[in-house]
């Protein structure tokens, strides 16, 4: 068969299977470079300082958990951890509820002032944190939350709020009217329709907002740094780890152990949620 | 009918419309509280604060008009920080977008096994708090015994260790590279989401037409996901302009102000004042100027995109 022979000559060495293996190997190399600093961090957290300075390679010769004990005791990682969980869980709950409700009426309902709210959102979407931090801290001080975790938690809600509202508004506006009308015919109240019919339909956006706000709250640095400057006991993890560094710059083992502890929860959370997160974002950009 | 009755009936109808959508307004309350208190109010308050000579959150403030702005525009450190913020954004956003697009296209291949594992590894720096990255990278880049310098010396690439964070000519590029490393995972996820919107039939059609490999990517997929590129670029740019945490946890703007971006400049005047008197009004003026610059650039960009789209339309029709 001459035709088949020509195809065979034009595409010689690489079968799809071999190409797949080749791409995988290249990608694995890239990923190895990518996570090397984090692997190094975990590895250093299991060595004593002498072994770290001696650059003895990734696998620790005599693994020790001493660094973790020291980090937990001296760096207050335990209490910082719970502070961060408080800020994260609180702001995720508030932001998800508030942005879904606001996005719902903005996306589906017509009322006086709707255009104005959209205009204000468009106007504020690119404002950097450095612009607003002084008034925010001033406001928190005035309402008595200037040095409190509640203040950090509430102000953290503002972070990506308008983007979340736009995501919900866009998604809700795409949902056909029939479901809502059917609920109305059955005499289901507005609030219940929202809660039991519309919100479950918007699950991709809910997941996206939950993950993005979790990442934001867990990572946020400027706001908790400013609020906790005068009150170290309410530091969050990122500020606590930063302060620990200032106090113990020579203690590489302790610092890498503190760092490892502080990333574990988000890493585990992401491992469980990543499938939903990417599908959720895909739903969001489609909508 | 007099004018008065017309306007009053209008007003009554408006009142009735507002009253009939009272449940909508009720639904807006929680969101508007967050939006008003932590986004809208601070934006307008910052302008007022920028007109004050104000040294602390409990101290009295004195109205000084535009004096802060006059001083600001004369300060070479301000202009350096201002320019550096945009330089940092211009150098990181394109690199971040191109690298993440390449990774996303490879990972999107349905035939590739372990795709989820690779994705997770690229995403790990994203979920790692910046303060942690600051510590790990400072240690890794240390000119004394830092593993990266040791590796460079071992290979024989250089005879002397590089002072990545201590050399004023090198520090901003080092920070830019770390920044790209940290955030590529996020743009990768955005690209993956965009790629999921490409219908599977399109790939089938390509196969039938004999379009292969990189040609599919370049001529079929790229044009389809280009609308997302604008959004991704905007989100990345916002985040790059907010680079404060990384710089704060690695160099605090140093050495010799060589990595001082706008937010570090603002922070230095407003909060981080070891011994010096805080200048909240002056810092606010810097923030307002920076914010207005970003807003005008954004408006310009939106106008430019709209202009280009309008020019394209006649061709499409």
């Amino acid at each position: 068969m001459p035709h088949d022979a020509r195809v065979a000559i034009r595409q010689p060495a690489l079968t799809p299977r071999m190409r797949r293996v080749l791409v995988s190997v290249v990608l694995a190399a890239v990923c190895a470079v990518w996570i090397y600093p984090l692997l190094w961090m975990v590895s250093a957290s299991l060595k004593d300082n002498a072994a770290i300075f001696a650059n003895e390679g990734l696998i620790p010769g005599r693994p020790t958990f001493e660094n973790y004990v020291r980090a937990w005791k001296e760096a207050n990682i335990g209490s910082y951890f719970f502070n961060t969980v408080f800020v994260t869980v609180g702001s995720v709950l508030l932001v998800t509820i508030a942005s879904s409700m606001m996005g719902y009426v903005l996306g589906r309902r017509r009322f006086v002032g709707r255009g104005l709210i959209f205009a204000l959102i468009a106007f504020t979407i690119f404002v950097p944190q450095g612009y607003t931090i002084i008034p925010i801290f001033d406001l928190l001080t005035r309402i008595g939350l200037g040095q409190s975790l509640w203040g950090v938690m509430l102000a953290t809600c503002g972070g990506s709020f308008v983007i979340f509202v736009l995501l919900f508004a866009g998604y809700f506006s795409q949902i056909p009217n029939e479901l809502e009308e059917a609920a109305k015919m059955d005499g289901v109240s507005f609030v219940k329709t929202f809660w039991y019919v519309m919100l479950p339909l918007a699950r991709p956006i809910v997941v996206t907002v939950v993950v993005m706000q979790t990442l934001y709250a867990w990572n946020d640095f400027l706001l908790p740094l400013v609020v906790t400057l005068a009150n170290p006991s309410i530091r969050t993890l990122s500020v606590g780890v930063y302060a620990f560094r200032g106090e113990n710059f020579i203690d590489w083992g302790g610092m890498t152990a503190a760092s490892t502890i502080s990333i574990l929860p988000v890493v585990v959370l992401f491992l469980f949620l990543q499938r939903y997160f990417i599908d959720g974002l895909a739903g969001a950009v489609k909508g | 009918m007099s004018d008065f009755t017309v306007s009053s009936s209008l007003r009554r109808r408006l009142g009735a419309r507002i009253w009939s959508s009272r449940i909508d307004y009720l639904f807006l309350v929680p969101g508007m509280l967050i939006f008003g208190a932590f986004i809208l109010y601070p934006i307008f308050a910052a302008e007022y604060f920028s007109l004050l000579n104000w040294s602390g959150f409990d101290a009295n403030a004195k109205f000084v008009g535009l004096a802060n702005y006059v001083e600001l525009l004369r300060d070479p450190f301000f202009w350096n920080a201002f320019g550096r913020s945009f330089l940092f954004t211009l150098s990181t956003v394109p690199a971040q977008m191109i690298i993440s697009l390449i990774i996303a296209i490879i990972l999107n291949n349905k035939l590739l096994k372990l795709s989820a594992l690779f994705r997770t590894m690229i995403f790990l720096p994203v979920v790692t708090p910046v303060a942690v990255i600051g510590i790990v990278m400072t240690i890794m880049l240390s000119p004394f015994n830092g593993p990266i310098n040791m590796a460079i010396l071992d290979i024989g690439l250089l005879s002397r260790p590089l002072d990545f964070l201590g050399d004023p000519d090198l520090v901003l590029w080092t920070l830019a590279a770390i920044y790209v490393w940290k955030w590529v995972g996020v743009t990768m996820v955005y690209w993956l989401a965009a790629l999921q919107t490409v219908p599977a039939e399109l790939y089938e059609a390509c196969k039938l037409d004999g379009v292969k490999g990189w040609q599919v990517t370049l001529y079929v997929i790229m044009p389809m996901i280009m609308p997302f590129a604008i959004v991704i670029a905007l989100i990345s740019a916002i985040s790059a302009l907010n680079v404060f945490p990384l710089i704060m946890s690695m160099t605090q703007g140093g050495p010799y102000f060589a990595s001082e971006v706008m937010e570090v400049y603002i922070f230095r005047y407003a909060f981080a004042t070891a011994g010096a008197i805080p200048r909240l009004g002056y810092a606010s003026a810097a923030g307002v100027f920076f914010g207005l610059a970003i807003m005008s650039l954004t408006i310009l960009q939106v106008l430019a995109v709209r202009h280009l789209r309008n020019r394209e339309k006649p061709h499409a029709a």
Side-chain angles (χ1 to χ4, degrees), chain B residues 154-169:
Chain B
D154 279 350
I155 303 169
L157 224 56
L158 290 167
S159 54
R160 246 166 358 104
L162 281 174
D163 194 358
F164 290 100
L165 298 169
D167 182 342
D169 294 330

Side-chain angles (χ1 to χ4, degrees), chain A residues 20 109 112 130-131 219 245, chain B residues 24-25 47 111 129 249 263:
Chain A
R20 203 164 69 206
R109 314 275 298 178
V112 179
Y131 189 135
N219 273 289
R245 173 202 160 161
Chain B
D24 297 321
Y25 294 116
E47 265 100 66
L111 295 174
S249 62
E263 293 197 336

Side-chain angles (χ1 to χ4, degrees), chain B residues 127-197:
Chain B
V127 295
T128 307
V130 181
V132 170
I133 284 176
I135 287 178
V136 175
M137 284 303 187
T138 309
I139 299 177
M140 293 205 71
L141 293 169
S142 160
F144 319 102
N145 265 315
I148 291 183
N149 265 314
M150 297 300 273
I152 294 177
L153 292 181
D154 279 350
I155 303 169
L157 224 56
L158 290 167
S159 54
R160 246 166 358 104
L162 281 174
D163 194 358
F164 290 100
L165 298 169
D167 182 342
D169 294 330
L170 213 55
V171 62
L172 197 69
W173 308 114
T174 309
L175 289 166
I178 297 170
Y179 179 89
V180 170
W181 169 78
K182 172 166 169 62
W183 289 114
V184 153
V186 153
T187 25
M188 170 195 76
V189 171
Y190 295 152
W191 284 123
L192 281 171
L195 287 168
Q196 287 202 4
T197 63

Side-chain angles (χ1 to χ4, degrees), chain B residues 15-259:
Chain B
R17 268 183 65 196
I18 290 178
W19 179 246
S20 70
S21 43
R22 59 193 184 281
I23 185 86
D24 297 321
Y25 294 116
L26 221 62
F27 255 55
L28 284 173
V29 168
M32 286 309 280
L33 279 176
I34 293 176
F35 182 59
F38 299 116
I39 300 166
L40 212 51
Y41 161 76
I43 289 175
F44 289 106
E47 265 100 66
Y48 170 66
F49 289 172
S50 73
L51 306 175
L52 304 174
N53 186 359
W54 185 24
S55 64
F57 289 100
D58 41 6
N60 285 331
K62 205 177 120 221
F63 189 83
V64 291
L66 292 174
N68 285 326
Y69 288 96
V70 173
E71 189 188 341
L72 191 71
L73 301 184
R74 283 195 188 136
D75 180 9
F77 289 101
F78 166 74
W79 287 111
N80 283 335
F82 186 78
R84 207 170 281 124
S85 273
F86 288 103
L87 176 66
F88 188 87
T89 306
L90 282 179
S91 55
T92 52
V93 173
Q96 186 188 343
M97 286 183 69
I98 291 168
I99 296 174
S100 60
L101 177 62
I102 294 171
I103 298 176
I105 287 175
I106 298 174
L107 285 181
N108 195 46
N109 192 333
K110 296 267 178 323
L111 295 174
L112 190 72
K113 284 172 185 160
L114 299 174
S115 172
L117 180 70
F118 292 138
R119 205 166 55 197
T120 307
M121 286 198 266
I122 302 283
F123 204 81
L124 273 184
V126 176
V127 295
T128 307
V130 181
V132 170
I133 284 176
I135 287 178
V136 175
M137 284 303 187
T138 309
I139 299 177
M140 293 205 71
L141 293 169
S142 160
F144 319 102
N145 265 315
I148 291 183
N149 265 314
M150 297 300 273
I152 294 177
L153 292 181
D154 279 350
I155 303 169
L157 224 56
L158 290 167
S159 54
R160 246 166 358 104
L162 281 174
D163 194 358
F164 290 100
L165 298 169
D167 182 342
D169 294 330
L170 213 55
V171 62
L172 197 69
W173 308 114
T174 309
L175 289 166
I178 297 170
Y179 179 89
V180 170
W181 169 78
K182 172 166 169 62
W183 289 114
V184 153
V186 153
T187 25
M188 170 195 76
V189 171
Y190 295 152
W191 284 123
L192 281 171
L195 287 168
Q196 287 202 4
T197 63
V198 178
E201 299 88 61
L202 215 58
Y203 293 99
E204 294 298 315
C206 289
K207 210 180 248 172
L208 287 177
D209 291 346
V211 186
K212 288 214 172 64
W214 61 272
Q215 288 181 319
V216 180
T217 309
L218 203 61
Y219 298 117
V220 182
I221 300 178
M222 289 298 281
M224 281 214 65
I225 60 176
M226 264 315 114
F228 298 107
I230 297 169
V231 180
I232 297 174
L234 280 179
I235 297 177
S236 311
I238 301 173
S239 130
L241 289 166
N242 278 307
V243 65
F244 176 83
L246 182 69
I247 295 194
M248 201 58 199
S249 62
M250 295 198 66
T251 64
Q252 274 126 333
Y256 314 110
F257 305 98
S259 62

Side-chain angles (χ1 to χ4, degrees), chain A residues 10-11 20 23-24 27-28 30-38 40-41 52-53 55 94-95 98 101-102 104-106 109-113 117 120-121 123-142 154-155 157-158 161-163 190-191 194 212 215 218-219 221-222 225-226 229 238-239 241-242 245 249 252 255-256 259 262-263 266-267 270-271 274-275 277-279 281-282 285-286, chain B residues 14 17-18 21 23-25 27-28 30-32 34-35 37-47 49 54 57 99 106-107 111-113 116 118-132 134-140 142 144-147 150 180-182 184 189-190 192-194 196-197 212 228 234 238 242 244-245 248-250 252 263 266-267 270-271 280 283-284 287-288 290-292 294-295 298:
Chain A
R10 265 224 315 251
Q11 292 193 323
R20 203 164 69 206
V23 170
S24 300
L27 210 58
V30 172
C31 289
V33 173
W34 221 261
I35 59 165
Y36 182 77
L38 298 176
W40 187 86
M41 171 186 83
I52 299 172
F53 280 112
N55 264 304
L94 280 178
V95 157
M101 288 168 73
M102 190 160 160
Y104 177 63
V105 286
L106 282 178
R109 314 275 298 178
R110 297 288 173 273
F111 54 88
V112 179
I117 296 177
L120 285 175
I121 287 178
F123 162 75
T124 58
I125 201 163
F126 296 106
V127 172
Q129 211 180 6
Y131 189 135
T132 54
I133 186 70
I134 295 172
I136 286 178
F137 185 61
D138 177 62
L139 180 71
L140 290 178
T141 310
R142 278 168 203 269
L154 289 173
C157 293
F161 188 74
V162 291
I163 293 175
F190 185 82
V191 178
F194 169 72
M212 284 177 79
L215 285 177
W218 201 271
N219 273 289
F221 183 69
L222 180 55
L225 177 67
V226 167
L229 273 179
S238 58
V239 181
V241 170
Y242 172 71
R245 173 202 160 161
F249 193 65
W252 289 8
M255 290 195 305
T256 46
S259 303
S262 74
I263 79 164
V266 258
V267 170
F270 175 72
L271 287 181
Q274 62 145 339
R275 175 87 252 150
F277 179 46
I278 292 175
D279 291 348
L281 264 179
V285 291
K286 267 182 206 160
Chain B
L14 193 68
R17 268 183 65 196
I18 290 178
S21 43
I23 185 86
D24 297 321
Y25 294 116
F27 255 55
L28 284 173
M32 286 309 280
I34 293 176
F35 182 59
F38 299 116
I39 300 166
L40 212 51
Y41 161 76
I43 289 175
F44 289 106
E47 265 100 66
F49 289 172
W54 185 24
F57 289 100
I99 296 174
I106 298 174
L107 285 181
L111 295 174
L112 190 72
K113 284 172 185 160
F118 292 138
R119 205 166 55 197
T120 307
M121 286 198 266
I122 302 283
F123 204 81
L124 273 184
V126 176
V127 295
T128 307
V130 181
V132 170
I135 287 178
V136 175
M137 284 303 187
T138 309
I139 299 177
M140 293 205 71
S142 160
F144 319 102
N145 265 315
M150 297 300 273
V180 170
W181 169 78
K182 172 166 169 62
V184 153
V189 171
Y190 295 152
L192 281 171
Q196 287 202 4
T197 63
K212 288 214 172 64
F228 298 107
L234 280 179
I238 301 173
N242 278 307
F244 176 83
M248 201 58 199
S249 62
M250 295 198 66
Q252 274 126 333
E263 293 197 336
I266 295 169
F267 184 81
F271 301 103
L280 294 165
S284 296
V288 168
F290 185 48
L292 288 179
I294 294 173
M295 260 184 249
T298 313

Side-chain angles (χ1 to χ4, degrees), chain A residues 209-264:
Chain A
V209 168
V210 167
V211 176
M212 284 177 79
Q213 178 66 21
T214 304
L215 285 177
Y216 175 77
W218 201 271
N219 273 289
D220 193 22
F221 183 69
L222 180 55
L223 180 78
L225 177 67
V226 167
V227 174
T228 62
L229 273 179
N231 185 357
S233 73
I234 58 161
R235 280 172 182 159
T236 58
L237 270 177
S238 58
V239 181
V241 170
Y242 172 71
F244 186 56
R245 173 202 160 161
E247 290 153 15
N248 295 285
F249 193 65
I250 328 100
D251 185 5
W252 289 8
M255 290 195 305
T256 46
S259 303
T260 307
I261 298 171
S262 74
I263 79 164
L264 270 181

